[in-house]
Amino acid sequence: MIIALIAIQFKDDNEKVRYTGLPSFAMLMTVFNFVAPSIPTSHQNTLNKFQEMLVVLMRLRLCAALQDLAYRFSISISTISRILDRWIPIMYWPDRDELQKTMPLSFRQAYGNKVAVIIDCFEVFIDRPSTLSARAMTWSNYKHHNTVKFLIGITRQGRAPRCHIIHLQSLGWSLQ
C-alpha cells in the first residue's frame, strides 16, 4: 500500500517529521489516525490521505507556497488548493457543544459555560518579501521584523491531566 511506503520514509527520520511541526513519527501517526477518517476521498484523489496530511502540515508549519508544495508532491497548484480546502475545515475548530461535553468537571465548576477556549496570537519570522505591499502587510511593529501572524485556540478536553488540543484559528498571511 502507498501509505506504508510514504510512512516508512518518515518512520526512522525525525528530521523529516519536523517539517510537519510535530516532534516525532509516533505523534504524526497519532494525528493521522485521529483526523484521516473524517476526510472525504474520491477516485480523483491524486495523493493518498497520508500524503495529503503532509501537504497540509507542511503548509501550516513552513508556510510553504502552493507552487512549492505542488512541485514537491508532483501535482498541480489547484490540487494543493483542493487538498487544503478539504483538510483545514476538519482540523479547524470543534463544535461548542462538544467542547462543553468534554470539558473537565473542575474547569466547568470554576468557569461554567463562560469559557470554552483560551485564545492566543503568535508571530513567526519570515524573510523580507520582495514586493512593497507584501512587506507592509507582514511588518510587525511589535517584533520589528516581517512576520506571519497566527491566532490559535487551546482547549482542554478529556480526562487526561495534560490533554490539550490546539486549534489553528487563522491560516496566517503568506505569499503564494
Side-chain angles (χ1 to χ4, degrees):
M1 186 174 213
I2 295 173
I3 186 172
L5 294 175
I6 300 298
I8 287 171
Q9 294 172 348
F10 278 76
K11 186 175 184 181
D12 296 321
D13 193 348
N14 281 337
E15 289 301 313
K16 284 183 185 176
V17 173
R18 287 193 183 102
Y19 282 108
T20 66
L22 298 171
S24 67
F25 179 75
M27 180 65 73
L28 177 65
M29 290 310 296
T30 300
V31 170
F32 175 73
N33 290 329
F34 181 73
V35 176
S38 303
I39 303 299
T41 58
S42 75
H43 66 283
Q44 296 177 340
N45 289 33
T46 307
L47 303 178
N48 63 47
K49 284 186 180 184
F50 186 78
Q51 291 170 316
E52 287 185 357
M53 187 179 80
L54 291 177
V55 166
V56 173
L57 293 176
M58 289 173 69
R59 169 75 171 168
L60 295 174
R61 171 70 174 149
L62 304 174
C63 233
L66 299 182
Q67 187 170 0
D68 177 44
L69 290 169
Y71 176 77
R72 289 179 195 227
F73 287 88
S74 301
I75 56 178
S76 69
I77 293 172
S78 60
T79 301
I80 293 289
S81 183
R82 281 193 302 274
I83 289 168
L84 295 171
D85 286 346
R86 262 197 337 269
W87 280 76
I88 295 295
I90 301 299
M91 300 170 78
Y92 188 64
W93 189 253
D95 182 70
R96 185 174 179 86
D97 292 336
E98 185 64 28
L99 288 172
Q100 293 299 328
K101 282 192 286 188
T102 59
M103 193 73 61
L105 181 60
S106 61
F107 200 78
R108 271 187 273 155
Q109 288 172 337
Y111 303 107
N113 289 332
K114 297 176 187 172
V115 178
V117 63
I118 299 167
I119 295 178
D120 192 16
C121 295
F122 68 96
E123 297 179 72
V124 178
F125 287 121
I126 61 172
D127 291 336
R128 190 175 108 175
S130 57
T131 62
L132 290 176
S133 63
R135 281 186 214 163
M137 292 176 81
T138 61
W139 180 254
S140 170
N141 287 327
Y142 178 70
K143 300 282 185 180
H144 302 288
H145 201 278
N146 293 94
T147 64
V148 178
K149 290 104 177 136
F150 292 93
L151 172 67
I152 60 169
I154 305 167
T155 62
R156 181 171 169 139
Q157 294 186 329
R159 296 177 190 257
R162 291 191 180 109
C163 187
H164 291 78
I165 299 178
I166 298 176
H167 307 278
L168 189 65
Q169 292 300 301
S170 65
L171 297 180
W173 191 90
S174 65
L175 299 173
Q176 294 192 14

